[in-house]
C-alpha cells in the first residue's frame, strides 16, 4: 500500500506504523486517520503479524489534531458526520497494539496513544490534553481513557489546566509502561512487540479482551468472562503445543490454531 501520511513496515511478526506528517508535527487529520485504519486493517488480516506498533518522530508522536481542518466546522457538520468516529476503530483492534511515544503527545496525539494497549515512551515525552485552551474539550476519548489510566485527580487537573505530564511522572502515574532514552525507544518497543508476536495469537488476543473487560463490567462478570475464555482456549492446538513444549522442556512452536 502507498500512503501519504503514514509509513508501514512488517518485520519479525510485527507491523510498524509510523505517523509521517513532519511539517505538521504529525497532527491528526481525516486523511491520517483514514490511512491509519487502512494500515491497521491490513495488519489485522495478515496472519503473519502478531503485534502492532504505532510510532511518530523523535520530536513528536503527534502534537494534536489538525486545528486548521477543524476551525471552520460547526455543530451540524460535526454532529451529522460524527466527526472523529473513525478514530474509535483504532481502539477496537483485536491484536495487541503498542504506542512508542517520543516528544509531544498532545490533544488528539495523547488520545491516540491512550487507544493503544500500552505505551512505551522516550525520556523527552510530554503528554497533555490542552483542548480547554482552544475553547473545546477532548473528543476522542481523552477524558475517559486518561481518567482510567491515571485516576480522577490527575486527569481533572491536566484537562482543566492544560499542563503537560513528562515521562517520569507518566510512568509513576501508570500512564506508560516504561521510559527509555529516545534513541533506544523504538528498538525497545519492537523488542517487546516481537516477544508478544512469538506467543500464540489466540492467547494474546484473549488476554487483551479479558483485561479490557475489567474496565467495562463488574468484577463478578469480568471473572466469569476470563474463566470462560480460559476454558475455551483448551480447544486450541496452541494450548496443546504450549503445554507439551513445557513438559518436554523445549521452545513452543505456536501456529495460531
Amino acid at each position: 500500500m502507498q500512503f501519504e501520511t503514514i509509513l508501514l513496515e512488517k518485520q519479525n511478526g510485527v507491523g510498524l506504523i509510523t505517523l509521517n506528517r513532519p511539517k505538521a508535527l504529525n497532527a491528526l487529520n481525516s486523511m491520517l486517520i483514514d490511512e491509519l485504519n487502512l494500515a491497521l486493517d491490513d495488519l489485522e488480516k495478515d496472519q503473519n503479524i502478531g503485534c502492532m506498533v504505532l510510532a511518530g518522530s523523535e520530536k513528536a508522536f503527534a502534537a494534536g489534531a489538525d486545528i486548521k481542518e477543524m476551525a471552520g466546522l460547526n455543530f451540524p457538520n460535526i454532529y451529522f458526520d460524527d466527526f472523529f468516529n473513525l478514530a474509535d476503530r483504532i481502539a477496537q483492534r483485536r491484536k495487541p497494539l503498542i504506542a512508542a511515544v517520543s516528544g509531544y503527545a498532545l490533544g488528539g496525539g495523547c488520545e491516540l496513544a491512550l487507544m493503544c494497549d500500552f505505551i512505551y515512551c522516550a525520556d523527552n515525552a510530554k503528554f497533555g490534553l490542552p483542548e480547554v485552551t482552544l475553547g473545546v474539550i477532548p473528543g476522542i476519548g481523552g477524558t475517559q481513557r486518561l481518567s482510567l489510566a491515571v485516576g480522577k485527580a490527575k486527569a481533572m487537573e491536566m484537562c482543566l489546566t492544560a499542563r503537560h505530564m513528562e515521562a517520569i511522572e507518566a510512568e509513576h502515574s501508570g500512564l506508560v509502561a516504561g521510559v527509555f532514552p529516545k534513541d533506544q525507544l523504538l528498538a525497545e518497543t519492537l523488542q517487546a512487540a516481537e516477544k508478544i508476536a512469538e506467543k500464540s495469537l489466540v492467547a494474546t488476543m484473549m488476554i487483551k479482551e479479558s483485561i479490557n473487560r475489567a474496565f467495562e463490567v463488574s468484577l463478578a462478570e469480568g471473572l466469569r468472562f476470563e474463566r470462560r475464555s480460559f476454558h475455551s482456549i483448551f480447544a486450541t492446538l496452541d494450548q496443546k503445543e504450549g503445554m507439551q513444549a513445557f513438559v518436554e522442556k523445549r521452545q513452543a512452536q505456536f501456529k495460531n490454531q
Side-chain angles (χ1 to χ4, degrees):
M1 293 185 184
Q2 296 296 317
F3 299 107
E4 292 186 33
T5 63
I6 65 171
L7 303 173
L8 175 61
E9 303 172 60
K10 300 178 183 181
Q11 55 185 8
N12 301 325
V14 175
L16 170 62
I17 301 173
T18 305
L19 306 182
N20 188 38
R21 295 189 70 208
K23 293 182 180 179
L25 295 180
N26 294 331
L28 309 184
N29 62 6
S30 297
M31 179 182 286
L32 187 149
I33 291 174
D34 287 345
E35 292 191 340
L36 179 54
N37 273 309
L38 287 172
L40 289 169
D41 286 342
D42 176 67
L43 296 176
E44 290 254 87
K45 293 175 184 176
D46 191 334
Q47 296 184 359
N48 295 314
I49 298 298
C51 189
M52 306 178 293
V53 171
L54 183 57
S57 67
E58 281 195 0
K59 186 174 183 180
F61 175 73
D66 193 330
I67 304 305
K68 292 180 180 179
E69 182 181 69
M70 298 170 62
L73 299 177
N74 57 34
F75 174 71
N77 293 148
I78 61 176
Y79 179 71
F80 289 130
D81 294 341
D82 198 6
F83 196 68
F84 277 142
N85 69 312
L86 289 178
D88 295 336
R89 292 190 60 226
I90 299 165
Q92 295 165 0
R93 299 300 171 167
R94 300 181 69 198
K95 290 181 179 178
L97 176 60
I98 309 172
V101 174
S102 183
Y104 294 105
L106 305 178
C110 182
E111 291 174 301
L112 179 59
L114 285 165
M115 291 180 195
C116 299
D117 297 310
F118 64 88
I119 303 169
Y120 280 160
C121 78
D123 49 15
N124 69 334
K126 297 180 185 296
F127 299 88
L129 293 172
E131 285 86 349
V132 70
T133 64
L134 302 175
V136 296
I137 71 171
I140 325 178
T143 62
Q144 307 304 298
R145 294 190 178 96
L146 185 64
S147 298
L148 291 173
V150 303
K152 176 184 175 181
K154 282 188 180 291
M156 193 73 77
E157 180 214 15
M158 288 177 67
C159 289
L160 293 177
T161 68
R163 83 168 178 91
H164 296 171
M165 177 182 283
E166 298 191 1
I168 298 302
E169 183 185 359
E171 184 177 31
H172 291 166
S173 299
L175 179 59
V176 306
V179 179
F180 304 96
K182 65 181 181 181
D183 60 345
Q184 298 176 25
L185 172 66
L186 187 57
E188 293 285 351
T189 306
L190 290 173
Q191 184 178 48
E194 288 171 10
K195 287 182 180 179
I196 293 170
E198 291 172 355
K199 309 299 189 295
S200 166
L201 184 57
V202 181
T204 59
M205 289 171 64
M206 281 190 178
I207 289 169
K208 172 174 176 170
E209 195 173 9
S210 296
I211 291 175
N212 284 335
R213 187 60 64 99
F215 292 95
E216 299 166 356
V217 300
S218 68
L219 175 60
E221 182 59 33
L223 289 170
R224 187 175 298 111
F225 182 87
E226 178 194 74
R227 191 65 45 77
R228 292 296 176 262
S229 298
F230 173 75
H231 292 162
S232 67
I233 208 165
F234 277 73
T236 68
L237 295 179
D238 281 351
Q239 173 269 325
K240 304 296 184 291
E241 165 63 13
M243 291 193 171
Q244 189 63 34
F246 178 83
V247 170
E248 297 174 359
K249 297 182 180 180
R250 61 176 174 80
Q251 188 72 29
Q253 301 297 317
F254 295 116
K255 297 182 179 179
N256 301 330
Q257 297 177 352

